[in-house]
Amino acid sequence: TSDLATTDGFNLVMNPLTGFHTFTFTPTTKGRLRWTVTDAARGVSQSLEMEILAGAASAAASSIGGTGFEAGAVAGGTASFQIQAQDANGNPVVLVPGEFFMPVFTDPATGLPFDPQVQVDVIELGPPGQYEIVYTPPASPTGGDYSMDVQVFLSDSTGALTAITPPQSLTVFAGNA
């Protein structure tokens, strides 16, 4: 029995020379796996149990949302958006040491990092795999509303950067910065 969502991919093969059975399974859902092997001819059984862990964080499967990503921000004010980190199978994952999210704010006219720089903090929230990007956009040099792009990358433990989303345009409204 299993509390996992699927049992697809179970494979049991017996070696006719040794009589040993080899059981293979590639899980796609994290959870607890319990199974019992029964030898009906001998009347014996053995129960086994193991924890199936989530895989590595996947930029393609992770998602971003929230008003600071979709609606914009006020210059000099704090805005935020959330990231749900997931593995390739959609299981929530907590980033391991060496993995991190890197939001990049750029000027849409030049494609260069926004200057002056945007103050950014990445906060791990309570539920597994949920993170919040908190940022403070600077005031516009002209004093009015302006646009900036944000793109969030996942850096894996090897240092490779993978975009979670394409650049998203944000409106920064004039404020008291």
Side-chain angles (χ1 to χ4, degrees), residues 29-98:
T29 306
K30 73 177 194 168
R32 195 138 200 74
L33 179 65
R34 294 175 212 92
W35 68 94
T36 301
V37 178
T38 302
D39 181 342
R42 293 187 181 148
V44 294
S45 64
Q46 175 71 45
S47 293
L48 306 163
E49 187 173 311
M50 68 185 302
E51 186 72 25
I52 305 298
L53 303 174
S58 164
S62 296
S63 59
I64 297 177
T67 56
F69 189 74
E70 296 155 3
V74 175
T78 315
S80 66
F81 55 88
Q82 292 72 42
I83 300 174
Q84 175 61 60
Q86 297 177 311
D87 69 9
N89 294 308
N91 296 301
V93 305
V94 176
L95 300 182
V96 298

Side-chain angles (χ1 to χ4, degrees), residues 14-169:
M14 184 187 91
N15 182 325
L17 299 176
T18 64
F20 285 106
H21 290 78
T22 302
F23 170 77
T24 58
F25 170 59
T26 304
T28 58
T29 306
K30 73 177 194 168
R32 195 138 200 74
L33 179 65
R34 294 175 212 92
W35 68 94
T36 301
V37 178
T38 302
D39 181 342
R42 293 187 181 148
V44 294
S45 64
Q46 175 71 45
S47 293
L48 306 163
E49 187 173 311
M50 68 185 302
E51 186 72 25
I52 305 298
L53 303 174
S58 164
S62 296
S63 59
I64 297 177
T67 56
F69 189 74
E70 296 155 3
V74 175
T78 315
S80 66
F81 55 88
Q82 292 72 42
I83 300 174
Q84 175 61 60
Q86 297 177 311
D87 69 9
N89 294 308
N91 296 301
V93 305
V94 176
L95 300 182
V96 298
E99 295 179 330
F100 59 90
F101 291 111
M102 185 175 78
V104 176
F105 294 87
T106 56
D107 182 332
T110 65
L112 298 173
F114 204 84
D115 190 28
Q117 287 192 323
V118 178
Q119 296 175 7
V120 178
D121 286 311
V122 179
I123 301 167
E124 185 174 350
L125 301 176
Q130 290 190 359
Y131 296 84
E132 183 172 42
I133 305 293
V134 179
Y135 67 97
T136 304
S140 166
T142 63
D145 296 350
Y146 65 94
S147 292
M148 68 177 171
D149 290 343
V150 62
Q151 186 168 21
V152 181
F153 295 86
L154 170 64
S155 177
D156 67 19
S157 57
T158 69
L161 291 174
T162 306
I164 295 176
T165 63
Q168 169 79 20
S169 181

